[in-house]
Structures are given as structure tokens and as C-alpha cells.
Amino acid sequence: METKERTAESVNSTAQSINPDAKVQNITENCNAFCSNFDELSKEQLKALEDELQQLEIGNIPDESEPKALYTINDVPVLYPKSIALVVAQKKSGKTNSVGLLMCASIIKGNSVLNGSIKCNEGTIRILVFDTEQPDRDARQTLRRVMVTAGYDKTEQWNKHDIRSISLRNKNEKEMQTLILVGILRYEPKLVVIDGIADVVRDINNQTESKAMLQWMATLAEKFNCCILGALHLNPGTTKATGWLGTQGMKKFTDCIIMTKKDGSFTLSHEGRGRSPQPVHFKIADADGDGIGKWESVATSTIEDVKRNVDNDRRATIADVEFPIAMTELAEIVAKKREIKIPAARNYIKDSLEDGGYIERYKVGNNVWFNLKGTDDGQQELF
């Protein structure tokens, strides 16, 4: 009896020790204790563990059919029930506009916007938006743009069309989390948008808090059969989302919508676990000059054109740079050419130039230097 109790304690101790903060030494000690006592488990204990193991075997898990996506972007399914997704952009580059287009596709006749580029597959769905960033006036303006683009008068009330928008701007993170849960329970939405997800967690650079936030979102999505779409900024001058939450989120989210803005036009692109659709290009046409306007398609570029423009832009940034060059000097040149600050210039050097295969780094003592990719000496021909 004493042996069985000791074995049970070992099992419990092992289970409790396996968590993200457990020390390797403790795990090893408990594992050794469990293994040494394995033969002494009672038949009932062993049967219970074997039954649980069998239930978790892939072949024994019911094969559920894949749920239907809530939307399609250029005929590619995106945003599924019971999933978490992300929309990212630099500041003032269209995060909220992308959310507005999703709302618009839900209520417009035919359930598609921008010449069919974005479609709502379910017809009209219930959408719940939590805004942690925008002043009420700006949020109201976006909602009026939704109504105008969908063919309604700008004074039409959006909540008549299963769209709810709630401002959490003056709440702390705990209050936000509570109100988000209450809102989901109250309205039973198919799509939940948290516009400003960084505000719902105390520190987006804290690994433990960010993991808990991702798990919280996934649990809500699974429990309430909805898609939860979080909106987050990108680090200045990069394509990486802010903080640990953003870095890991872009890996874990089923869908990631990426917004960019150039010369007054927006581009909506998508990355996910399946194939990526062609980008959607649009603008805000404000014929009445009332600051509301509506979303309209603009002539789209081919993927090859987009890649060519990016390539030309990066080459132009370093076209007259004399290589090899120290990081400090290159950062100053890039900052001046692209009209960005030094930290953003360093990010651009790493993410766009180095990772893009244009330059490579090496060390001279404790200093970082760069040369053109694949060269050993001096300035090389770029074009």
C-alpha cells in the first residue's frame, strides 16, 4: 500500500512539474522516479493511463470535416470558426480599414466588396468589434464608411445589421478581458475583432503573459465557435509584429492579414497555412469631402510587379553605398534615404537587405560590417 501511495505521488509530481516554468533537473528527477516505480503501478492505475493514451491516438480521434471559412479573399478561404487570426500594419496603414471591409462584406447585397475580391461566405454574420485605440469619433467614421460602401445612407445604424462596436479605450487590461468575454456571451458573434490587442495584455514583450493571451484567445474561439481576429502594429520599418505576442502570434495564428499603404492606396495581402491569395488593392474615395467616403478598388499589380518594385526599392537604397561598410555608417545612410530613425534603419538592414539576400555581415573585432552578398571585396555592380 505504501509503495502504491509513493507511486501515485510520483505520478502527480511528474504531472505538476511538466509546465513551461519547470526546471529540467526537476523534470529529470521526477521522470526517473516515475520510471523506477512503473512496474509497481496497480492494475487500475495502469489501465487508466493506457485508456487515456489510446484516446489520444490520432486514429481514434473522430475525423471532423473542415469547417467552412467565414470569408474568401480572391477565392482563397480565410478566417475559420474556432480559429484565431491576426491583422498587422504599420501605424496609419489600414488595420481598421481591413476590418471595415470584412464588416461591409457581411451586410452588402451579394456579400462581396471590391469587385468580388472579399466575400462573406455565410451571408450576413454577427460581428463584434472591440476597439482599444481609436477615439469614438474615428470609430464612428469607420462604421459610417462601412454603411456607405455597402449602399446604405451614412446615417443608417450599423447595429441593425448585426454589427456591434464597443470602445474599450479607457479600460485597463483586466476590464477589457472581462468585457470581451461578456460581449461574446451576450451577442454570440461569428467574428470577434480586437482592434488593438496589445492593450489587452499588460506587457506584449513578456513571454508568459503573451502565451497566456494566445491561449485565452484560442480557448474563447473554440468554446464559442467563432473566429477571433486581433489587430497589431508592425515594428517600424519591418514586417515583424510588435513584441513577443506579435512574433509568436504570426507563427501560431491560422490567418494573418497584412496591410500596407503607399501613395494614398492600400494593399491587403494574406499569409496563412494554405495558399495565399493575390493581394487586394483599394483606396478611400471621398467624393463628398465629408471625411467618410467609401472603399473602391484600384488597378491591381501582378505579384511579379510587386516583387519587382520591392527589389528595385531595396537596390536603390544601397545603389551608391561603398562596400564594405560598418553597420553604424550604413544605418545612417539608410535612415537618411528612407527618412526613418536609426533603430528602424537597423531593422530594415536586417529584415529587408540582409535577410533579403542583398548584403551579408561579418565581424571586424567587435564591430559589425557589411559587404554585398557573394562578394569578398569592395563595391560591386548592382544592376
Side-chain angles (χ1 to χ4, degrees), residues 6 8 20 27 37 44 77 90 108 117 127-128 131 164-165 215 221 224 231 237 250 311 354 360 369 371:
R6 187 172 67 251
I27 293 175
N37 292 311
E44 292 78 12
Q90 298 287 348
I108 195 172
S117 296
I127 300 175
L128 180 58
D131 197 322
R164 302 277 176 173
S165 182
Q215 184 59 52
F224 297 105
M250 291 185 77
D311 179 62
E354 189 178 1
E360 55 189 352
W369 281 65
N371 206 346

Side-chain angles (χ1 to χ4, degrees), residues 132-167:
T132 72
E133 297 179 340
Q134 289 192 107
D136 293 352
R137 178 185 177 278
D138 292 345
R140 195 173 289 111
Q141 186 180 53
T142 298
L143 290 162
R144 286 175 176 158
R145 187 175 297 138
V146 170
M147 304 312 295
V148 171
T149 305
Y152 298 97
D153 187 83
K154 63 184 178 183
T155 61
E156 179 85 7
Q157 286 300 303
W158 46 88
N159 56 13
K160 294 180 181 178
H161 301 272
D162 277 337
I163 293 175
R164 302 277 176 173
S165 182
I166 297 173
S167 175

